[in-house]
Amino acid sequence: MNIKEASEKTGVSSAAIRYYEKESLIPAIDRTPVGNRDIDDRIIRRIRFVTQMRAAGMSIENLRRYIQLFDAQEDNAKEQKALLQEQLGVMEEKRDDLQAAIDHLNYKLNHFYDHMESTEEELRALEREHTDKVAKQDDAPDDDIAHNF
Amino acid sequence: MNIKEASEKTGVSSAAIRYYEKESLIPAIDRTPVGNRDIDDRIIRRIRFVTQMRAAGMSIENLRRYIQLFDAQEDNAKEQKALLQEQLGVMEEKRDDLQAAIDHLNYKLNHFYDHMESTEEELRALEREHTDKVAKQDDAPDDDIAHNF
DNA sequence: TTACCCCTTGATGTGCACTTTAAGGCAAGG
DNA sequence: CCTTGCCTTAAAGTGCACATCAAGGGGTAA
């Protein structure tokens, strides 16, 4: 498949795919006789992996370090694991920050002017609350943060 | 307190505090007779709020929209709620993406070359797994993503 | 043959969120 | 009086992650 099709399939722009290749986030892509990129499913999967990690906030630089470690099939298991653990820590912290902010906004939403004007909205708010994985009490999220904001 | 103290207290650089003020992410700050910023706890709390939302991935532009809606004490409850809900949706999606990536990395970590070289590391990996709020099965996180990566 | 539509590379541009620099003011200490 | 150390503003610079442009090539179809 050509780069345009790959772009449509992954939702990643052609320019970004070329950029990822140049930055070694995906392997060198095979070429047709005239030099055009010929993208297979292995590349598609690697593009999707990059997309997922980027969405999770991993920088290009960290992603490249990580991928290079994996591509070099040497005996660097220890480094790979260390990098993995490090990135995991960063991401878990990020997730928790995000959850704290979500809790904050949910709290505000549920106390909006101390009155909700329609029952539908109350129900939607409740639904939202139960969507969250943790059974949340109706506590203020964090004392450090002003609740008039 | 002067801007340097506020910077040290919040971990936000003096330049960034000035920037936030200029961009109306925090209210106009009182000045001393000579024109220096005199920062009180209300401002500190607002800086912290900005920090929290920024860490959660909210853009300056969205944050300004949100804050302006709240600062204008008009009857715009509906808009405020809509914006809040919108942002909440964005953040929940982001959190879920992050969780998916975390699951992916955890899976990799737990299957590292199908052998862990020390018992301590096995235990640490298990600990990690139970830290997560959802009781996770040892399933591959997502079929779309290549597990050799 | 001309017109499209795809591709290539390298260079340059863009938007965000600040950071840094330049040029200067005020107050205290030696 | 001069240095130190804080502050001010406006303007310019920075790093990231691409997006866009320029200049050209190849394949097909009317």
Side-chain angles (χ1 to χ4, degrees):
Chain A
M1 114 189 53
N2 67 22
I3 199 169
K4 202 186 183 218
E5 290 161 342
S7 167
E8 282 157 6
K9 202 161 182 178
T10 59
V12 175
S13 76
S14 299
I17 293 174
R18 294 195 191 96
Y19 173 72
Y20 289 162
E21 187 188 12
K22 207 164 73 175
E23 296 298 317
S24 306
L25 301 188
I26 58 180
I29 300 173
D30 291 344
R31 303 308 176 106
T32 65
V34 296
N36 291 4
R37 287 175 182 78
D38 186 13
I39 296 175
D40 59 18
D41 278 6
R42 174 171 144 270
I43 301 291
I44 295 290
R45 282 193 299 273
R46 300 265 313 232
I47 292 170
R48 293 214 166 107
F49 174 76
V50 170
T51 305
Q52 184 180 18
M53 291 304 159
R54 294 281 308 120
M58 197 177 198
S59 71
I60 297 289
E61 174 59 26
N62 270 352
L63 201 41
R64 187 185 17 237
R65 284 203 299 144
Y66 175 83
I67 286 169
Q68 279 174 353
L69 234 48
F70 273 82
D71 277 348
Q73 274 301 27
E74 294 148 36
D75 181 30
N76 49 22
K78 259 184 124 64
E79 288 174 69
Q80 289 185 36
K81 282 172 71 173
L83 183 52
L84 235 160
Q85 295 260 15
E86 184 193 323
Q87 186 58 30
L88 211 40
V90 169
M91 284 163 61
E92 284 173 344
E93 204 183 313
K94 212 160 188 159
R95 178 200 57 197
D96 293 343
D97 286 354
L98 202 42
Q99 188 61 54
I102 288 171
D103 289 348
H104 184 133
L105 291 194
N106 263 319
Y107 178 84
K108 292 181 58 50
L109 198 54
N110 293 337
H111 291 77
F112 214 84
Y113 284 146
D114 289 322
H115 63 76
M116 313 286 273
E117 50 273 66
S118 88
T119 310
E120 297 94 76
E121 296 188 46
E122 270 188 62
L123 290 176
R124 254 180 279 140
L126 279 172
E127 220 178 333
R128 240 175 208 306
E129 230 172 346
H130 289 299
T131 300
D132 289 335
K133 285 160 186 156
V134 196
K136 279 211 307 288
Q137 306 96 303
D138 194 33
D139 285 344
D142 187 343
D143 272 351
D144 275 2
I145 305 290
H147 290 301
N148 56 331
F149 228 76
Chain B
M1 111 189 52
N2 68 21
I3 199 168
K4 201 184 184 220
E5 289 162 340
S7 168
E8 283 157 4
K9 204 163 180 177
T10 59
V12 175
S13 76
S14 299
I17 293 173
R18 293 195 192 98
Y19 173 72
Y20 289 161
E21 187 189 12
K22 206 163 72 178
E23 296 298 317
S24 305
L25 301 187
I26 58 180
I29 300 173
D30 290 344
R31 304 306 177 106
T32 65
V34 297
N36 291 5
R37 286 174 183 79
D38 187 12
I39 296 174
D40 59 19
D41 277 5
R42 174 171 144 269
I43 301 292
I44 294 291
R45 282 193 300 271
R46 300 265 314 232
I47 292 170
R48 294 214 166 110
F49 175 76
V50 169
T51 304
Q52 184 179 18
M53 292 304 159
R54 294 282 307 121
M58 197 178 198
S59 72
I60 297 290
E61 174 59 26
N62 269 353
L63 200 42
R64 188 185 18 237
R65 284 203 299 145
Y66 175 83
I67 286 168
Q68 278 173 353
L69 234 50
F70 273 82
D71 278 349
Q73 275 299 26
E74 293 149 35
D75 181 27
N76 48 21
K78 259 183 124 66
E79 288 175 70
Q80 289 185 36
K81 282 172 71 174
L83 184 53
L84 236 159
Q85 295 259 15
E86 185 194 323
Q87 186 58 32
L88 211 39
V90 170
M91 284 162 61
E92 284 172 345
E93 205 183 313
K94 212 160 189 160
R95 178 201 56 198
D96 294 343
D97 286 354
L98 203 42
Q99 188 61 53
I102 288 171
D103 290 348
H104 184 130
L105 292 194
N106 264 318
Y107 177 85
K108 292 184 57 50
L109 198 54
N110 294 336
H111 291 77
F112 214 84
Y113 283 145
D114 290 322
H115 63 75
M116 312 289 274
E117 51 271 67
S118 87
T119 309
E120 296 95 76
E121 296 187 44
E122 271 189 60
L123 289 176
R124 257 180 277 138
L126 280 173
E127 220 178 336
R128 244 176 206 307
E129 230 172 344
H130 290 299
T131 299
D132 291 335
K133 285 156 189 162
V134 196
K136 279 209 309 286
Q137 307 93 304
D138 194 33
D139 285 344
D142 186 344
D143 272 351
D144 276 4
I145 304 292
H147 289 302
N148 58 334
F149 228 79

